[in-house]
Amino acid sequence: MKWLILIVTTWNFLPDFMYSFDVNPQTEAYIPDYNHYHNLTAITSNIADIVAKNPSFMRIDWSYKSKENRPQILLHITNFTGSVSHSAHTLQEAVPKIRVLLSYGEHAREFIPVESLFYLLQNLTSGLGAPHDSPEEIFTRTILSKFNLYIIVMANPDGRKIVEKTKNYCWRGTSSGVDLNRNFDWEFGNAGSSDNPKDEEYRGKHVFSEIESKVYTELTGQQSFDAFISFHSGIRQIYLPYADTKSKLTVREPPHLKTMTTLAEHLSVATKYRYSYGKAYDLGFYTADGTIFDYIAGKKQVPISMAIELWGKSNHKGLSCFDQFNPKSRHLKQEVADIHPLYVSLFFFLIKWKQEQFITLTDSMKDVPSMTFGYILLIIVIFLTFFVALQRKWCPCTKLFPRRRVISLKSLSSTITVWGFKSSSA
């Protein structure tokens, strides 16, 4: 029995040992060919070029910078001519645009997520010149008219620069080695992170120690987002809140877990691959404290918040890193095309979900009398009651209903005048 207890106890601590590594370079099975992959310079210039060609639908914000003053590239995509979308086929009323925040490049070694973004942008912009009602045109028109997309193109540009310069394809963190996805104010500092600067899950000296976190905190403070998606690679999985140690111990769940689970189920079968999904603390072997998607779900109360690992090598062995998180260069084009249906499924699920929310809201307003009208009636009644009370108490000369004196005819001793006629007593 003692040995059994020892084995169980060891297994409980094994995942942290297995999945926490230093960030030293390793011998790689293959490395990126920048004729296929975008390096940091190409990412920046290509995004700027796409936006310049589509000023009616895309805007770029260069103001958010990394510690070493590199832009994180905040992209805003929508049809800027209106703030609501219309669908004559399903709803007669205006539905508010769906506000979505997409995040890429949090971990420096994960190249394919931002490559999938370029493929998405390519499909989105190609529809602008496509024939009316063609599949390409319908997709583009739908996204631009129904969404306000905010996209953090490169959350951790300094870390990406380190990877490119040193060819250390195991580097994950910022320029100071901090894992940006352990640096947020949700159960920060617990067991699902590290205080060791050499560990790939190093959380930093304090919460929000990294300036790169500012774009997330400010955007979620300024906008009421419907959904937040953090894109990663390494395995094909969809993580729902929560990932932290305390939530695992207390079986804590987010308010909109049912909706997120339904979405994850749709996404899991959207491509030719199958993605596993569930609460992060159930899905993984280890917990993760201070994650961005937990913070946005728990602290910012965004209804849908999840992390999606888009690609992974199922039979990966050894300590090499690039091949664990990214496909071979010659396979990249096909891999991002295979991922793309997941985006389509995401967008159309959100459209349906938002419409159902809107219908529920409008139906409830029709069933219940207008609260504004009720308040007006109440105010009128209170005012009249108060006015009548004042009239009776303080101003007898102007009472609404002055008391009339009643006298008997017998009390009159002589001539009386009634309705203008004069009469004499006997």
Side-chain angles (χ1 to χ4, degrees):
M1 182 61 69
K2 291 181 180 180
W3 284 106
L4 179 60
I5 294 173
L6 177 62
I7 291 171
V8 171
T9 304
T10 303
W11 176 253
N12 283 337
F13 288 96
L14 186 59
D16 286 337
F17 169 77
M18 288 178 61
Y19 287 89
S20 292
F21 303 104
D22 62 34
V23 290
N24 292 325
Q26 304 293 331
T27 301
E28 296 293 341
Y30 55 82
I31 60 175
D33 177 352
Y34 290 116
N35 291 314
H36 299 274
Y37 280 96
H38 294 78
N39 63 16
L40 188 60
T41 300
I43 290 170
T44 305
S45 62
N46 285 10
I47 290 292
D49 185 57
I50 293 171
V51 173
K53 291 177 179 177
N54 300 280
S56 297
F57 307 104
M58 297 183 181
R59 294 174 184 171
I60 196 165
D61 184 347
W62 300 102
S63 65
Y64 292 101
K65 307 277 189 176
S66 66
K67 187 174 294 183
E68 295 181 355
N69 205 38
R70 293 185 177 91
Q72 293 175 290
I73 316 174
L74 176 61
L75 194 58
H76 184 191
I77 299 177
T78 191
N79 184 344
F80 290 106
T81 60
S83 60
V84 296
S85 64
H86 297 272
S87 177
H89 301 292
T90 55
L91 291 175
Q92 297 301 317
E93 296 113 327
V95 181
K97 284 188 177 182
I98 308 159
R99 295 182 180 270
V100 180
L101 177 60
L102 306 179
S103 173
Y104 298 85
E106 296 165 26
H107 292 151
R109 64 194 179 190
E110 298 169 14
F111 282 29
I112 192 172
V114 75
E115 299 297 335
S116 75
L117 170 62
F118 274 109
Y119 192 83
L120 170 63
L121 296 178
Q122 175 186 325
N123 279 268
L124 194 59
T125 54
S126 65
L128 293 173
H132 183 69
D133 280 344
S134 64
E136 297 82 2
E137 191 272 341
I138 291 173
F139 174 73
T140 298
R141 172 162 37 94
T142 301
I143 301 306
L144 294 178
S145 64
K146 294 184 179 296
F147 285 89
N148 260 307
L149 293 179
Y150 292 81
I151 302 173
I152 303 169
V153 177
M154 185 52 58
N156 178 19
D158 294 349
R160 178 62 179 265
K161 191 63 178 180
I162 288 173
V163 171
E164 294 177 10
K165 183 178 180 179
T166 67
K167 294 181 172 56
N168 177 2
Y169 297 102
C170 293
W171 188 266
R172 167 174 162 134
T174 62
S175 58
S176 52
V178 173
D179 181 351
L180 194 59
N181 206 31
R182 300 293 184 274
N183 191 234
F184 277 68
D185 188 19
W186 182 262
E187 305 301 339
F188 175 84
N190 291 332
S193 61
S194 174
D195 60 358
N196 179 4
K198 294 183 178 181
D199 193 296
E200 65 173 13
E201 292 190 34
Y202 176 49
R203 60 180 170 257
K205 294 181 179 180
H206 56 82
V207 67
F208 299 137
S209 63
E210 304 308 285
I211 189 64
E212 290 84 355
S213 66
K214 182 181 178 181
V215 63
Y216 298 92
T217 57
E218 286 199 356
L219 277 178
T220 53
Q222 295 165 0
Q223 303 289 337
S224 296
F225 286 106
D226 295 293
F228 167 75
I229 312 292
S230 173
F231 291 101
H232 295 267
S233 60
I235 194 173
R236 296 184 194 274
Q237 289 188 335
I238 302 169
Y239 299 104
L240 311 180
Y242 294 110
D244 67 276
T245 307
K246 181 178 179 180
S247 292
K248 184 176 179 67
L249 293 173
T250 61
V251 198
R252 177 167 52 184
E253 296 180 344
H256 302 277
L257 180 61
K258 184 178 178 180
T259 298
M260 286 188 280
T261 302
T262 304
L263 170 57
E265 183 181 4
H266 281 74
L267 299 181
S268 70
V269 296
T271 72
K272 68 178 184 179
Y273 301 101
R274 294 295 176 265
Y275 291 72
S276 53
Y277 63 91
K279 295 189 292 293
Y281 62 65
D282 288 336
L283 203 57
F285 289 110
Y286 60 101
T287 57
D289 294 305
T291 65
I292 301 173
F293 79 103
D294 273 0
Y295 165 79
I296 289 180
K299 284 291 181 75
K300 294 297 186 174
Q301 297 291 298
V302 173
I304 295 173
S305 179
M306 59 178 62
I308 302 177
E309 303 240 11
L310 294 170
W311 186 92
K313 190 174 182 180
S314 58
N315 59 347
H316 180 266
K317 294 180 181 179
L319 298 177
S320 60
C321 290
F322 192 80
D323 64 319
Q324 182 180 354
F325 298 99
N326 309 284
K328 291 180 178 180
S329 298
R330 67 177 182 270
H331 297 156
L332 177 62
K333 184 176 180 180
Q334 185 59 53
E335 292 289 356
V336 294
D338 291 340
I339 288 170
H340 185 67
L342 185 144
Y343 285 102
V344 177
S345 182
L346 168 66
F347 292 138
F348 281 92
F349 178 92
L350 291 176
I351 290 170
K352 183 180 179 182
W353 169 73
K354 190 71 172 182
Q355 288 176 346
E356 289 174 349
Q357 278 196 322
F358 187 77
I359 291 171
T360 301
L361 177 63
T362 53
D363 286 349
S364 65
M365 292 176 67
K366 291 175 184 177
D367 293 338
V368 179
S370 169
M371 292 298 292
T372 303
F373 182 69
Y375 286 138
I376 292 173
L377 288 178
L378 180 61
I379 291 171
I380 291 173
V381 171
I382 293 173
F383 176 78
L384 288 175
T385 303
F386 183 70
F387 181 73
V388 170
L390 286 178
Q391 288 289 326
R392 289 182 176 277
K393 183 173 182 180
W394 300 108
C395 191
C397 59
T398 59
K399 289 179 180 179
L400 288 177
F401 306 105
R403 183 178 300 172
R404 295 183 180 276
R405 183 181 180 188
V406 180
I407 59 175
S408 171
L409 291 176
K410 294 181 179 180
S411 64
L412 298 177
S413 58
S414 61
T415 304
I416 63 172
T417 302
V418 179
W419 297 103
F421 295 98
K422 189 176 180 179
S423 174
S424 297
S425 58

